[in-house]
Amino acid sequence: MDKSIFAKALESQLRSKYNTTVENALDWQLHECVSSAVMEHISPNHAQSLEKHLSGRRAMYLSMEFLMGRAVHNNLMCAGVYEDVEDVLKQHGRSLGELETIEDAALGNGGLGRLAACFLDSAATLDLPLDGYGIRYKYGLFKQKIVDGFQKEEADNWTKYGDPWSVRCQQDAVNIQYADMTVRAVPYDMPIIGYGTDNVGNLRLWQAEAVDDFDFNKFNDGDYTGAQAKKNAAEDISRVLYPNDNTSEGKKLRLRQEYFFSAASVADAIRKHKARFGSLDELEKYLTIQLNDTHPVIAIPELIRQLVCEGYDFETAFEKAHKIFNYTNHTIMAEALEKWDCSLVESVIPKVYTYILMINERFIRDMYSKGMDKKDIAAIQPVAGGRVNMAYMAIYVSSYINGVAEIHTEILKKDALKKWYELYPERFQNKTNGITQRRWLALCNKELSALITRLLGDSGWITDLDRLKELAKYADDENVLGEFIRIKKTKKQQLADFIKQNDGIEINPDTIFDIQIKRLHEYKRQLLNALSIIYIYYGIKDGSIRDFTPTTFIFGAKSAPGYRRAKAIIKLLGEIGKMVNSDEQTKDLLKVVFVQNYNVSAAEKLVCAADVSEQISTAGTEASGTGNMKLMLNGAVTLGTYDGANVEIVQEAGEENNYIFGARVEELADIMPDYDPRKLVFENEKIGRVLEKLIDSNFDDGGVPSDQEGSFKELYKALTDGASWHVPDHYYVVGDLESYVAAKLRCNSDYKDKLAFARKCWLNMCSAGKFSSDRTIRDYAQNIWKIVPVSKRGV
């Protein structure tokens, strides 16, 4: 885009929309008009790309979450106009940095949603015809504030200043029928700009609206609430990401959401295919659909239902669905594999429930034909015990099922989904997750990116991350490592400035930055990290830990609003921070900081500044992780368990350049049946005094009754006696504590040799090529979706 043309377009938009100038525009006005000018610039490419995607075989990516983050900086970079736009703004005394006040598009909860965003970025850059489909939530993931140590949630109205990166497509609206209501799904298209290409991918997000949004007669009769009841009921469906499903109404709304976007996306695909090809006879030849976890699995019976409505018999519709659908499993934990009560499904979407039962009957017939006995069939049939098992339905119907890391996929095959693997071994594949280096290095760490480009002689690594391997030869170059250390110091100072502004806390950039950033969940073991800090604190106090390198422990995490035990861990971290940050003996050695409102924009700062990447989930529980990849890519060592993608990180970068601890999957299988954490607490004095802090009343848990989730005493009970459905220390926190502390102290000691530690960090960065989402998407395209770049069609 010519700078002078952009400058005129920007000035024109500001005048016409807000009667202001570049110099005087508010941040959000500037964002609106910069974005609109770029959208106008890319619009022809977007339209042409949509046409190309529909002209041949394409893939649809259905996901409940798309954690896109703030779009403007990434889009400007991918469009190749970042520097030009910055130059234009500087001429008026403005900067793109001012747009950091703009809201993130936080339409996701964590790794699953961020993975979906990275996949769209990679597909667009690789010219692949992949488009995303999800929900346009009015309120994204909540804003988090820490008040008196507790997480408090506030609504995240991310579109309050508009949404210039989306286009409403009223002509493609679809009516979605439930048993008790009909709503309209209106799509908004968000362009996904490919880097270094004219290809523009598409994310279609569906917004729920009422078919009849106002009852004039009720209003005239004085029933003002009733007059808008249908409007409110419809809009509730796309109002909030993951409504609390602890209640029956919450469960019903969650099911409505999942059906809403799945049904709308299926209808969209069918309508577009018919418009282009005249019939659906070859639908499976041109379309493949990836189900990102179990949330969109309801699309399977819905597609079959719609095909039957188009005149196909059930068996033909089923075979088409089998060839079209593929399923990504993101967890081995039974509680995370969705199961819906049959009565709920039948009451909300009875027509679809009929086809679920038909799928189940077909499965039973298939299994009898294979000679399977009734008991074994009942153990894995999609409908059993009054519940619909969405994962089982996905596995039965899909062409391919994939895990997201080598160890995760092996656990699926050997344990979690063993019976299914024995039935359909040819369907199972592994697709280790990845991240886009565009956002997670080129954009967020310009200083390190410049060094990489200079050493390589070009910027080709931005689309070929394997090029980083060429930099391993500098691992013993003191000049390069010295520059790398200075860059890290710069990023640590930038993070310190952000935390000062965001949280009002001063931190020392000359300390080790030990960072754990991810969703707050017991299996991710922020509690283990917390207990280790108490362990180290007492060790420094009693002299058993000496010569400790000053360390700032930084956490960023959000707990689900109804997850009281996770919220208690956030409160505990605050209490530990008060203790170690104020103790004269430790305050210059230990600091604990909890970053409020962790989101994509905060992550962009945190991953660049980390010396140590905490990846400490219980072995066998984290499917992959992608935060571990982002931190590795920016030159941090991994302190972690042999879990998820940590296994492959160590394979790529070397165990000698990382810090692995804890029981492994096969060891836990032997340990857990007879494991007694109380024995460790009573026999090990150091562990005992750490856990005693949970019950000695010196830490303030806000006065939550001791037998209720959310109290520190209940945390103690969960570890020692078990709680709810958990066995004692279900995630082996107490069991791994000493091994973890030992690895932490070894890392802390190694940091004293700055060059040697920088060498480890450098080699991690050089070894990160495998973890590009470009590699992951190429693998999906070749081995599951069977799609080719649109630029190669007809060649």
Side-chain angles (χ1 to χ4, degrees):
M1 184 188 342
D2 183 271
K3 279 198 286 189
S4 61
I5 293 175
F6 170 77
K8 290 178 181 177
L10 177 61
E11 291 169 0
S12 175
Q13 293 230 16
L14 284 167
R15 278 197 306 272
S16 62
K17 289 182 178 179
Y18 305 114
N19 193 29
T20 190
T21 63
V22 178
E23 289 84 355
N24 296 322
L26 299 174
D27 291 348
W28 66 268
Q29 293 172 334
L30 192 63
H31 171 260
E32 168 76 25
C33 294
V34 166
S35 304
S36 297
V38 176
M39 279 285 281
E40 186 174 339
H41 169 67
I42 67 166
S43 180
N45 282 347
H46 191 198
Q48 290 169 14
S49 298
L50 286 171
E51 177 63 23
K52 286 181 181 178
H53 288 198
L54 291 170
S55 68
R57 184 169 174 82
R58 70 183 183 113
M60 295 171 59
Y61 197 84
L62 270 59
S63 180
M64 192 82 166
E65 304 180 34
F66 285 94
L67 189 51
M68 304 305 293
R70 190 183 299 119
V72 59
H73 297 98
N74 191 72
N75 283 354
L76 293 177
M77 182 190 72
C78 288
V81 298
Y82 191 100
E83 301 301 332
D84 288 344
V85 172
E86 180 75 321
D87 286 346
V88 169
L89 295 182
K90 282 183 178 178
Q91 292 171 15
H92 296 272
R94 306 300 295 270
S95 169
L96 283 170
E98 298 174 51
L99 304 188
E100 290 195 0
T101 60
I102 305 305
E103 302 290 348
D104 278 22
L107 308 185
N109 185 40
L112 181 140
R114 187 52 230 168
L115 178 75
C118 285
F119 279 4
L120 295 185
D121 173 283
S122 286
T125 297
L126 296 172
D127 287 344
L128 289 166
L130 170 73
D131 299 304
Y133 291 79
I135 299 177
R136 189 175 189 261
Y137 303 101
K138 178 177 177 60
Y139 300 105
L141 188 63
F142 60 86
K143 287 184 179 179
Q144 178 198 58
K145 287 190 175 180
I146 304 300
V147 180
D148 297 327
F150 289 100
Q151 171 179 294
K152 301 296 183 185
E153 300 91 17
E154 294 181 354
D156 174 31
N157 186 5
W158 65 283
T159 61
K160 64 182 177 183
Y161 293 129
D163 178 19
W165 294 107
S166 295
V167 178
R168 182 180 171 98
C169 301
Q170 182 72 40
Q171 71 279 6
D172 288 343
V174 179
N175 282 353
I176 306 299
Q177 291 188 342
Y178 302 98
D180 58 345
M181 63 191 297
T182 299
V183 303
R184 181 169 290 126
V186 180
Y188 284 72
D189 283 354
M190 182 182 293
I192 309 298
I193 304 171
Y195 182 91
T197 175
D198 290 335
N199 184 51
V200 180
N202 194 64
L203 172 57
R204 172 155 281 194
L205 297 175
W206 299 96
Q207 179 171 292
E209 299 179 3
V211 175
D212 300 308
D213 64 1
F214 190 74
D215 190 322
F216 197 74
N217 291 326
K218 284 187 177 181
F219 188 85
N220 279 344
D221 291 340
D223 184 3
Y224 306 131
T225 301
Q228 297 194 78
K230 290 183 179 179
K231 179 177 188 294
N232 290 335
E235 292 178 358
D236 280 345
I237 293 171
S238 61
R239 198 180 303 279
V240 175
L241 169 68
Y242 290 147
N244 190 340
D245 61 354
N246 290 342
T247 65
S248 58
E249 285 304 307
K251 287 182 174 64
K252 181 181 288 188
L253 181 55
R254 178 79 69 89
L255 179 59
R256 286 194 198 275
Q257 286 185 330
E258 294 183 4
Y259 180 67
F260 168 76
F261 90 92
S262 298
S265 301
V266 165
D268 191 60
I270 285 177
R271 181 169 56 188
K272 286 177 177 174
H273 185 87
K274 282 181 67 178
R276 180 170 292 269
F277 298 104
S279 80
L280 300 172
D281 291 350
E282 294 187 311
L283 179 65
E284 65 274 22
K285 177 181 175 182
Y286 290 96
L287 180 68
T288 183
I289 298 176
Q290 191 71 33
L291 303 170
N292 192 30
D293 213 1
T294 51
H295 310 122
V297 169
I298 199 70
I300 289 175
E302 174 62 14
L303 174 64
I304 293 173
R305 185 191 72 80
Q306 291 195 31
L307 288 173
V308 171
C309 290
E310 293 284 343
Y312 296 93
D313 61 69
F314 172 78
E315 192 61 29
T316 301
F318 181 93
E319 288 300 328
K320 285 180 178 293
H322 168 61
K323 292 174 183 176
I324 287 170
F325 283 106
N326 311 289
Y327 162 58
T328 299
N329 176 283
H330 283 275
T331 182
I332 65 165
M333 291 187 285
E335 70 271 20
L337 293 174
E338 281 190 315
K339 300 179 184 70
W340 291 108
D341 287 342
C342 291
S343 58
L344 175 64
V345 179
E346 187 175 21
S347 68
V348 175
I349 42 175
K351 293 180 180 178
V352 182
Y353 182 65
T354 297
Y355 288 91
I356 292 173
L357 294 180
M358 292 171 73
I359 291 169
N360 189 63
E361 289 301 310
R362 188 186 191 279
F363 170 79
I364 295 171
R365 185 178 71 244
D366 272 1
M367 295 307 103
Y368 274 128
S369 71
K370 292 177 182 290
M372 188 181 291
D373 65 37
K374 185 176 181 180
K375 181 179 178 182
D376 288 338
I377 293 173
I380 60 170
Q381 67 188 56
V383 182
R387 308 182 84 185
V388 181
N389 189 313
M390 305 304 280
Y392 289 177
M393 182 161 59
I395 296 167
Y396 175 54
V397 182
S398 294
S399 288
Y400 297 104
I401 300 93
N402 70 276
V404 292
E406 288 176 3
I407 187 174
H408 171 236
T409 301
E410 289 306 305
I411 292 171
L412 292 180
K413 293 193 294 187
K414 295 176 182 178
D415 185 9
L417 300 176
K418 181 180 179 181
K419 291 181 179 178
W420 285 104
Y421 178 64
E422 290 170 350
L423 272 173
Y424 304 117
E426 73 284 356
R427 296 186 184 183
F428 282 75
Q429 295 189 11
N430 177 64
K431 299 286 175 278
T432 297
N433 283 344
I435 59 171
T436 167
Q437 64 267 30
R438 266 78 63 184
R439 182 180 286 269
W440 295 109
L441 181 54
L443 180 66
C444 70
N445 199 338
K446 292 184 179 296
E447 296 87 348
L448 183 55
S449 298
L451 173 60
I452 292 168
T453 297
R454 193 179 82 236
L455 294 175
L456 289 175
D458 60 69
S459 60
W461 62 271
I462 298 178
T463 53
D464 181 7
L465 198 60
D466 284 332
R467 292 280 309 277
L468 294 186
K469 292 178 182 176
E470 300 172 30
L471 300 178
K473 63 186 178 184
Y474 294 106
D476 296 306
D477 187 318
E478 292 190 9
N479 291 326
V480 170
L481 291 181
E483 188 168 354
F484 176 68
I485 290 169
R486 288 190 290 276
I487 289 170
K488 183 69 75 171
K489 174 69 178 294
T490 297
K491 304 311 288 186
K492 290 166 80 170
Q493 184 62 62
Q494 291 172 2
L495 177 60
D497 294 341
F498 169 77
I499 289 175
K500 173 67 174 174
Q501 181 179 6
N502 189 66
D503 302 280
I505 300 171
E506 291 187 4
I507 61 175
N508 181 1
D510 292 322
T511 61
I512 298 173
F513 277 15
D514 181 306
I515 295 182
Q516 186 176 15
I517 44 174
K518 51 187 76 255
R519 183 165 52 93
L520 204 306
H521 195 287
E522 287 169 273
Y523 86 84
K524 295 180 183 289
R525 297 204 297 187
Q526 286 93 345
L527 179 57
L528 175 61
N529 199 345
L531 297 180
S532 79
I533 297 169
I534 300 175
Y535 190 112
I536 292 169
Y537 168 79
Y538 277 123
I540 293 171
K541 294 279 285 182
D542 68 15
S544 60
I545 295 176
R546 300 178 182 178
D547 200 23
F548 185 82
T549 308
T551 301
T552 303
F553 297 99
I554 302 173
F555 296 83
K558 290 179 179 178
S559 161
Y563 193 173
R564 293 189 292 274
R565 198 173 294 144
K567 286 186 165 184
I569 294 169
I570 293 176
K571 175 63 170 170
L572 177 63
L573 287 168
E575 292 299 303
I576 295 170
K578 287 180 186 178
M579 178 177 73
V580 305
N581 298 352
S582 61
D583 191 313
E584 289 294 328
Q585 193 175 346
T586 62
K587 69 178 184 179
D588 293 328
L589 297 175
L590 299 173
K591 187 139 195 171
V592 177
V593 176
F594 191 95
V595 178
Q596 296 183 95
N597 200 39
Y598 174 63
N599 57 17
V600 173
S601 295
E604 289 172 7
K605 297 176 175 62
L606 287 154
V607 298
C608 302
D611 297 303
V612 181
S613 165
E614 295 271 0
Q615 307 298 330
I616 60 176
S617 53
T618 314
T621 59
E622 184 73 83
S624 168
T626 53
N628 46 6
M629 302 171 189
K630 294 159 193 164
L631 289 148
M632 175 198 195
L633 180 60
N634 282 274
V637 298
T638 295
L639 171 58
T641 49
Y642 215 63
D643 191 33
N646 292 356
V647 177
E648 292 162 78
I649 285 174
V650 168
Q651 289 171 354
E652 295 295 308
E655 191 158 345
E656 70 277 10
N657 294 313
N658 293 285
Y659 298 86
I660 300 300
F661 73 93
R664 301 193 179 190
V665 173
E666 60 275 14
E667 294 170 333
L668 285 169
D670 294 331
I671 291 169
M672 291 307 290
D674 300 314
Y675 172 55
D676 181 4
R678 274 196 179 275
K679 187 176 181 182
L680 277 176
V681 173
F682 293 149
E683 292 181 355
N684 187 311
E685 179 185 354
K686 291 182 178 180
I687 292 178
R689 70 182 177 184
V690 169
L691 265 70
E692 186 180 347
K693 292 299 296 181
L694 298 177
I695 57 175
D696 67 6
S697 299
N698 287 319
F699 284 164
D700 176 18
D701 62 7
V704 181
S706 62
D707 60 341
Q708 290 186 16
E709 268 191 28
S711 74
F712 295 164
K713 289 182 174 65
E714 198 273 342
L715 279 179
Y716 179 90
K717 180 182 177 184
L719 293 174
T720 55
D721 298 331
S724 59
W725 58 270
H726 284 175
V727 299
D729 195 14
H730 183 76
Y731 294 111
Y732 205 58
V733 171
V734 179
D736 268 347
L737 180 57
E738 289 220 306
S739 174
Y740 176 45
V741 171
K744 211 162 198 171
L745 293 176
R746 189 168 72 252
C747 177
N748 183 273
S749 178
D750 287 351
Y751 187 83
K752 295 181 188 303
D753 186 336
K754 294 291 181 66
L755 278 176
F757 195 86
R759 184 180 189 277
K760 292 175 185 284
C761 294
W762 181 262
L763 288 172
N764 270 278
M765 182 202 74
C766 296
S767 305
K770 176 180 180 176
F771 304 108
S772 170
S773 50
D774 296 355
R775 183 267 314 152
T776 315
I777 284 297
R778 283 194 186 97
D779 197 351
Y780 273 103
Q782 293 169 8
N783 296 312
I784 290 184
W785 302 332
K786 311 297 195 296
I787 59 174
V788 297
V790 292
S791 55
K792 293 183 179 179
R793 283 184 179 162
V795 177

